[in-house]
Amino acid sequence: MISSIILWAFMGYGMTTILVYGSIFETAREWIKKNSKFFGTLIGCVMCTSTWVGFFLSICLGGLTTRILGIHWIPSIFFDGMVTCGLVWAMNGVV
C-alpha cells in the first residue's frame, strides 16, 4: 500500500512538472495561455494541473483511493485528484 502511494506521488509529480515547467510542452503551454485565460491559468498552476493529473491517473490506473479505502470508482476519481494535488504540492514545496 505504501509503495502504491509513493509510486502514485512520483507519477503525479513527474507528469505535473513536465506539463507546467517542461520545455517539451512550452509551445503548447504558451499557445494555451495566449488563447484561453481559464486554461492558461490552469496549465501554469502546479496545484490546478496536479488535480487534473490525479483525475487522469485515476481513470487510467483504476484509482488509488479505491484500492486503499475500497470506495466506488466514480467518487474515487475526485478523491484521487485531491490526493494527487496534496502530494504534488508537498513534493514541490520540498524541491
Side-chain angles (χ1 to χ4, degrees), residues 6-57:
I6 292 169
L7 183 60
W8 189 278
F10 279 106
M11 285 189 299
Y13 181 76
M15 288 179 72
T16 300
T17 301
I18 289 169
L19 289 169
V20 175
Y21 302 117
S23 61
I24 193 168
F25 289 110
E26 186 172 357
T27 304
R29 202 171 39 248
E30 292 305 317
W31 184 85
I32 291 169
K33 286 180 180 180
K34 184 176 133 191
N35 292 301
S36 174
K37 181 171 173 48
F38 175 77
F39 290 109
T41 302
L42 184 126
I43 198 70
C45 170
V46 171
M47 289 181 75
C48 304
T49 304
S50 63
T51 301
W52 287 96
V53 165
F55 296 157
F56 175 77
L57 288 175

